[in-house]
Amino acid sequence: MKLSTRVRYGARALCVLARSYPSPAISLTVIARREGVSVKYLEQIMMPLRTAGLVVAHAGSKGGYALSRPPGRIRMSEVYAALERSHALVPCIPNPRCCPRSTRCPTLPLWTAVNRAMNRELQRIRLSDLVKPRR
């Protein structure tokens, strides 16, 4: 199983914003430099995060992005949903008819269980959990 770079980089960008919350907006240039990601790619990532209501954009010379609410109120399931096209690990989980083998597939229960566990963890973990100091 592999997470897309959109989700991984999006989570890292949100961690930058969470660490400075509730400070003013942070520019994409600063986030890109800190995380080693191109500004162009971050622009593509921030757009769906903004649409999902997770970040707000501020225009002007002191512009950039900021979290729309406290990091403790942002669940990683929201981040994943905003940045991934599908919530399912395999296409037959949400749509069994897409595969003629789905009714007799020996691996479907495994993928369904793994998908359920992943969604449960993403729902449980908040952005604030990712930026807590490590022991």
Side-chain angles (χ1 to χ4, degrees):
M1 176 171 57
K2 182 178 178 182
L3 285 174
S4 70
T5 55
R6 284 170 56 96
V7 171
R8 295 189 338 257
Y9 293 177
R12 286 171 34 200
L14 290 175
C15 285
V16 171
L17 299 178
R19 281 186 202 99
S20 70
Y21 185 86
S23 304
I26 299 176
S27 74
L28 282 183
T29 305
V30 169
I31 297 170
R33 193 175 328 115
R34 286 185 191 171
E35 294 304 315
V37 179
S38 79
V39 172
K40 198 103 171 133
Y41 194 42
L42 272 180
E43 286 172 349
Q44 295 172 19
I45 291 170
M46 297 308 268
M47 199 175 325
L49 293 173
R50 185 176 174 196
T51 301
L54 299 175
V55 298
V56 291
H58 298 279
S61 62
K62 296 192 186 240
Y65 286 88
L67 295 179
S68 63
R69 56 187 188 262
R73 293 191 44 225
I74 296 176
R75 295 184 184 276
M76 294 312 294
S77 57
E78 296 176 273
V79 176
Y80 185 83
L83 296 172
E84 264 317 317
R85 289 180 179 84
S86 171
H87 298 252
L89 294 176
V90 291
C92 55
I93 291 174
N95 183 13
R97 287 184 232 141
C98 77
C99 177
R101 297 172 163 239
S102 64
T103 58
R104 64 183 191 285
C105 178
T107 62
L108 182 57
L110 169 64
W111 306 138
T112 302
V114 169
N115 197 79
R116 200 175 299 123
M118 182 181 80
N119 287 331
R120 206 172 26 248
E121 281 301 294
L122 289 171
Q123 180 66 23
R124 182 184 69 79
I125 298 170
R126 299 168 191 270
L127 182 57
S128 58
D129 296 328
L130 301 180
V131 295
K132 286 181 182 173
R134 294 182 182 173
R135 295 179 201 187

